[in-house]
Amino acid sequence: MSSGNQRQLFETDPAPWEMDEAQEGHVAAVVFTEGPTDIFHYSIPDDQLDKVAVGKRLRVPLGRGGRVNTGYCVAVETRASLGRIKYKLRDIRGVLDAAPIVSSEMLRLAEWMAEYYLSPLGPTLESIVPAGVRGQAGTRQVTLLTVPNRVAARLTQLKLPPKQRAALEHLVASAEPLTAQQVAKAIGSTTAPVNALREKGLVDEQLARVATGDPDESSVARTEALPLNDAQQAALTTIVESLEAQRHEAILLHGVTGSGKTEVYMRAIEEVIQYGRQAIVLVPEISLTPQTCERFRSRFQRVAVLHSHQSDSERHWYWRRIAAGQVQVVIGARSAVFAPTPQLGIIVVDEEHDSSFKQDMPPRYHAREVALYRTHLANAPLVLGSATPSLESYFLAKKGRRRLVELPDRVLNLPLPDVTAIDLRTEFRSEYYRGAISRPLEQAMRLALGEQGKVILLLNRRGFSTHIQCPACGHVAKCPDCDIALTHHREGDCAVCHYCEHERPAPASCPECRFDGIRYGGLGTQKLEAEVRGRFPEANCLRMDSDTMQKAGSHEAAFARFRNGDVKILLGTQMIAKGLDFPDVTLVGVINADTSLHFPDFRAAERTFQLVTQVAGRTGRGTKGGRVLVQTFSPEHAALQAAMQHDYVTFAEGEIPIRGQFGYPPTGSMVRLIIRGESERLTLQFAQRLAEEVRSGFPANCAVRVLGPAPAPIARLRGKHRFHILLSALDRRVLRSGVKAAREAIGQPPDDVQWVVDVDPLDML
Ligand code: ADP
Ligand code: ZN
């Protein structure tokens, strides 16, 4: 631990009598969540020593003024172990937490993240602990009731009125203490019978802090494990071997859509629970549907679901239950990888290729990589499941660093759906082509609906396809702050920036050339919805995208309507491509595959392959079969060809060498530096200096590519200019040390210029 720049807070060297040569007592090493990023040391007064512990937050003075700040205690050491230091240590002022809010295991995880993602330890710790837990959100004192054994033992002999008996029996049967209100609700009465039991001394009372909200713990019908097929059994055996050996191993479960991966996860988790350990299942936020959660709830008793719609107090409530070992399975999006399970037995990352596992704010971690290190610390297996593994994971599997297990077929020998391309170039020339839905697709939709099937239409809006363009001069309306095309919204007839939410009335004529036939060109989900409603007035159609799905619970409601047949056509963005399991979807249409194919990102082909494969996977899951029609201007593209053949391996084997030519992942490693600021000139100047420092920071003989600075594809965002520098090399350690060296050398950027480091970037905009 270095006391680094602590000295800089004192402008002059201390006088000799200020030197601290004490050898007695203890010191706390502290990091802060904002401001200075070094580790600071404070002495602990003897009477506070038993209160201080690693993982608690301390109140300590900082800076010349000695303003009191909160920091995390990351080590407690003896004063002697620090040796002679040139300034006087100050005392801590107080201890904020009664118990550590970060365990030593999580501290090690945070230290690893800080190192790997080049992010300071303090903010990294802060990102591990949810805000609700830090603030003890939404807890209140309640009285919890239990039935003492002496009462439970003679339950049948007790003479009680029926309501009181029902209350008592409910409490005896409950696995955990309950409040009077919970009992009353369960037996459908007031709290009077419960209070009568309390007065008679038949129940024990204890005070506890619980969440003010009462998270939904409604019980779900149990389901039994399904008999596994041979491939599933082989996958399970591989995982169980690693569990029994208590050996860390990363297993890549490559199973086509509908091959029964979830069933394998659940069986592996059953094993884990038998050892008294806990499981964490990470899914993309979008897949946190009631459907997924119910599947786990129906198999396991104590499941905690963590998602972003939860209030702080709900999170806190789950966090405490998880930390107390009362939860067997934690299901959640990215940040659930930090769930404080006391004895972690396995982590499953489902849809491991999904980009939502990467956090786009500091510390910009990828939950898959964090899960890898966490399972390494816990000697537990990590299971990465996907129908379309990330090329990163596949590449490592080929090199023997991930154990590859395959489920090549759908369960019950269901066939994979037929995928056919519709060449839009031909369609466009035809006089029948009107709007977004080609003639073959329209016919297929009529056929499917006529046979009582349901239809999913995917339109990935990321392709700038709702832009406002003048057909006379070609002018495209753009956001003044973000330099991206504005999107036309029908409701309110306005033009909206999808990065900064800048909004203005849609122009009636071209602002450039005054031509008054400006087109609200391209196609968005709203426009597609109008077209579908016009052509299929009798089939109810529902649109799902981030505009219509903002309210908590709106996904659930939408899926429920699709499931029960109230809605026959579901259309939307990639939100609808993942994880859904509806047996009677017989047709999937991809409206325009090119929107993702020609995106300015080296992963565009991979993303398109994934998207088409995933959305195709939503059909043919029942006895009625299913087919997929993909509209595109480039049907010969390798990614689409492979997706049509359901041939992941051919796609991966073809794509990896292309990446290799340019030093892109998975062959190489990448770090992206993003520099932004209000003044274009100052920002670019700093970016150039930074690039020079980075270039000169690497030893001459090592193979590192440094590109840039170049304007980022989104050159302006929220009023700031953005530049980026891309670094790639075969060895990521070289990259990290180079960036560290540059960071030391360059010092503070000018006011109003900021820069961030993104290790293993996914978002290249
Ligand atoms: P994946 O996660 O690979 O897409 P799922 O686990 O969702 O696949 O399984 C698809 C469907 O098949 C589910 O409805 C599941 O209940 C069912 N299923 C899974 N394993 C079996 C099995 N061994 N026998 C019968 N049905 C199964
Ligand atoms: Zn904008």
Side-chain angles (χ1 to χ4, degrees):
M1 311 240 146
S2 92
S3 39
N5 293 346
Q6 190 161 2
R7 277 188 54 198
Q8 291 172 1
L9 298 168
F10 304 89
E11 275 165 354
T12 53
D13 267 352
W17 59 87
E18 280 179 334
M19 296 238 215
D20 190 302
E21 297 193 43
Q23 292 295 308
E24 308 285 295
H26 287 79
V27 291
V30 174
V31 295
F32 298 98
T33 58
E34 347 184 301
T37 55
D38 292 286
I39 293 174
F40 287 68
H41 291 96
Y42 295 90
S43 61
I44 308 172
D46 284 344
D47 61 343
Q48 300 261 17
L49 188 58
D50 58 338
K51 284 199 216 135
V52 176
V54 170
K56 290 185 182 183
R57 287 166 304 170
L58 308 179
R59 302 286 291 159
V60 293
L62 183 66
R64 286 180 69 89
R67 215 159 54 83
V68 177
N69 271 271
T70 301
Y72 285 82
C73 176
V74 294
V76 176
E77 296 156 283
T78 60
R79 173 65 189 83
S81 69
L82 280 190
R84 190 163 175 274
I85 42 178
K86 275 189 162 180
Y87 51 85
K88 193 153 172 54
L89 288 184
R90 289 183 277 185
D91 283 353
I92 65 161
R93 295 291 170 75
V95 183
L96 209 63
D97 301 305
I101 62 170
V102 181
S103 68
S104 57
E105 184 200 346
M106 293 313 254
L107 179 60
R108 281 185 67 190
L109 190 67
E111 282 167 347
W112 172 83
M113 286 171 68
E115 172 66 22
Y116 186 93
Y117 290 106
L118 298 168
S119 128
L121 183 56
T124 304
L125 277 170
E126 188 92 334
S127 68
I128 284 184
V129 186
V133 175
R134 281 181 259 128
Q136 301 254 319
T139 58
R140 68 187 154 90
Q141 199 94 299
V142 293
T143 306
L144 291 178
L145 306 176
T146 49
V147 181
N149 285 337
R150 61 181 164 80
V151 177
R154 52 189 191 94
L155 196 60
T156 47
Q157 299 143 34
L158 285 170
K159 287 218 161 38
L160 291 170
K163 283 274 168 67
Q164 291 181 29
R165 169 167 298 280
L168 197 60
E169 280 175 353
H170 183 75
L171 262 175
V172 169
S174 166
E176 54 208 46
L178 299 173
T179 64
Q181 289 74 15
Q182 282 170 320
V183 178
K185 194 170 155 202
I187 63 164
S189 78
T190 64
T191 52
V194 188
N195 290 333
L197 294 174
R198 291 164 79 172
E199 274 159 33
K200 290 179 188 170
L202 292 175
V203 292
D204 281 347
E205 305 179 6
Q206 75 202 59
L207 283 178
R209 290 202 78 81
V210 298
T212 36
D214 200 8
D216 180 28
E217 286 280 280
S218 52
S219 54
V220 179
R222 305 267 114 203
T223 58
E224 293 302 316
L226 298 165
L228 299 182
N229 63 32
D230 291 349
Q232 287 175 313
Q233 187 60 52
L236 180 63
T237 306
T238 303
I239 303 170
V240 170
E241 273 170 18
S242 150
L243 280 174
E244 281 174 348
Q246 302 220 355
R247 182 178 68 216
H248 166 66
E249 186 166 35
I251 298 160
L252 177 59
L253 181 58
H254 173 210
V256 299
T257 54
S259 58
K261 295 184 287 295
T262 312
E263 193 60 35
V264 174
Y265 307 152
M266 292 197 291
R267 291 289 281 274
I269 293 170
E270 274 169 24
E271 294 283 327
V272 166
I273 289 172
Q274 287 188 354
Y275 288 99
R277 293 174 165 238
Q278 303 88 37
I280 297 178
V281 181
L282 302 180
V283 299
E285 177 81 40
I286 275 171
S287 319
L288 267 178
T289 56
Q291 206 179 4
T292 313
C293 303
E294 302 267 287
R295 277 178 86 177
F296 282 87
R297 283 214 171 106
S298 74
R299 200 67 71 75
F300 303 103
Q301 252 181 2
R302 285 170 285 140
V303 176
V305 178
L306 303 176
H307 59 75
S308 64
H309 288 313
Q310 261 152 358
S311 65
D312 278 358
S313 43
E314 276 175 311
R315 289 197 151 240
H316 184 206
W317 188 82
Y318 281 122
W319 186 269
R320 286 159 36 111
R321 292 199 48 190
I322 295 167
Q326 290 167 356
V327 167
Q328 297 167 322
V329 186
V330 180
I331 306 178
R334 180 176 69 221
S335 64
V337 74
F338 304 120
T341 51
Q343 279 207 294
L344 181 64
I346 193 171
I347 300 185
V348 174
V349 183
D350 189 31
E351 313 282 4
E352 65 88 32
H353 62 276
D354 195 273
S355 53
S356 73
F357 288 123
K358 170 99 174 161
Q359 170 149 304
D360 58 5
M361 288 187 320
R364 295 179 179 260
Y365 66 89
H366 196 299
R368 182 183 61 217
E369 306 309 313
V370 177
L372 184 71
Y373 193 74
R374 196 168 169 198
T375 48
H376 159 77
L377 289 178
N379 281 325
L382 169 67
V383 178
L384 306 172
S386 177
T388 53
S390 62
L391 290 183
E392 282 80 355
S393 294
Y394 181 76
F395 183 69
L396 290 172
K398 285 276 129 179
K399 292 211 301 189
R401 290 174 53 199
R402 304 280 178 270
R403 187 126 163 223
L404 184 62
V405 184
E406 294 186 295
L407 304 179
D409 302 305
R410 284 190 160 179
V411 291
L412 308 174
N413 295 319
L414 290 171
L416 284 161
D418 267 341
V419 185
T420 328
I422 298 172
D423 190 338
L424 287 179
R425 292 171 300 195
T426 333
E427 285 300 311
F428 195 68
R429 274 182 241 122
S430 124
E431 56 183 297
Y432 295 102
Y433 184 82
R434 299 270 185 280
I437 299 172
S438 66
R439 216 155 41 115
L441 180 56
E442 174 165 357
Q443 281 163 356
M445 287 174 69
R446 295 213 182 281
L447 195 67
L449 294 170
E451 292 172 347
Q452 309 307 316
K454 291 173 188 163
V455 177
I456 287 180
L457 295 180
L458 174 83
L459 177 63
N460 203 9
R461 204 174 15 174
R462 287 184 77 191
F464 307 131
S465 42
T466 43
H467 56 264
I468 299 172
Q469 189 168 31
C470 171
C473 76
H475 171 80
V476 175
K478 286 189 173 180
C479 170
D481 292 329
C482 299
D483 198 36
I484 67 157
L486 296 173
T487 299
H488 182 235
H489 278 228
R490 208 165 240 267
E491 281 145 33
D493 196 25
C494 55
V496 177
C497 168
H498 275 221
Y499 289 106
C500 74
E501 297 178 37
H502 169 91
E503 190 177 318
R504 58 163 73 163
S509 62
C510 176
E512 279 294 303
C513 75
R514 304 276 144 223
F515 179 74
D516 64 1
I518 192 159
R519 275 209 216 137
Y520 304 130
L523 179 68
T525 39
Q526 267 181 321
K527 195 161 168 190
L528 177 64
E529 181 187 13
E531 183 175 335
V532 172
R533 285 190 194 283
R535 294 198 195 195
F536 300 91
E538 64 292 340
N540 246 335
C541 142
L542 183 79
R543 170 165 67 101
M544 284 187 81
D545 54 29
S546 47
D547 292 329
T548 59
M549 295 291 130
Q550 272 169 0
K551 266 191 263 148
S554 47
H555 286 97
E556 287 83 339
F559 289 136
R561 289 183 59 200
F562 191 52
R563 174 183 299 280
N564 70 22
D566 175 24
V567 165
K568 293 280 194 299
I569 304 175
L570 184 67
L571 66 90
T573 54
Q574 51 184 336
M575 197 175 272
I576 62 172
K578 294 172 192 165
L580 302 178
D581 189 4
F582 298 115
D584 47 2
V585 173
T586 55
L587 176 68
V588 165
V590 177
I591 298 299
N592 188 349
D594 300 38
T595 53
S596 55
L597 205 51
H598 302 306
F599 212 63
D601 182 336
F602 71 89
R603 288 191 179 87
E606 184 181 1
R607 295 253 164 83
T608 306
F609 176 81
Q610 289 167 350
L611 194 62
V612 173
T613 305
Q614 294 289 342
V615 75
R618 299 312 114 216
T619 183
R621 291 186 155 238
T623 46
K624 287 183 181 169
R627 61 190 295 224
V628 184
L629 294 177
V630 179
Q631 305 192 133
T632 172
F633 286 97
S634 358
E636 64 289 335
H637 194 286
L640 292 179
Q641 284 291 330
M644 283 186 255
Q645 306 298 322
H646 306 288
D647 191 351
Y648 172 81
V649 172
T650 299
F651 170 71
E653 298 287 346
E655 178 73 6
I656 289 174
I658 300 176
R659 300 277 183 88
Q661 282 171 23
F662 298 95
Y664 292 138
T667 337
S669 285
M670 265 180 119
V671 172
R672 182 179 186 225
L673 309 179
I674 306 153
I675 306 99
R676 57 167 196 261
E678 235 146 71
S679 150
E680 187 170 8
R681 191 180 54 89
L682 287 180
T683 310
L684 179 58
Q685 265 176 10
F686 179 78
Q688 282 162 340
R689 257 180 60 217
L690 183 61
E692 269 162 41
E693 290 293 354
V694 169
R695 287 196 172 91
S696 62
F698 292 111
N701 59 350
C702 72
V704 178
R705 254 172 46 143
V706 182
L707 297 177
I714 297 172
R716 291 192 75 194
L717 186 61
R718 296 190 186 90
K720 299 205 167 171
H721 293 269
R722 301 168 83 238
F723 294 88
H724 62 177
I725 301 169
L726 294 174
L727 289 70
S728 58
L730 282 179
D731 184 346
R732 64 161 53 84
R733 281 164 305 183
V734 174
L735 288 184
R736 280 206 298 270
S737 56
V739 174
K740 271 193 206 164
R743 187 158 64 187
E744 293 279 312
I746 200 152
Q748 284 294 315
D751 284 352
D752 202 58
V753 174
Q754 295 101 40
W755 67 289
V756 290
V757 181
D758 192 356
V759 176
D760 304 339
L762 280 188
D763 180 357
M764 306 303 289
L765 297 177

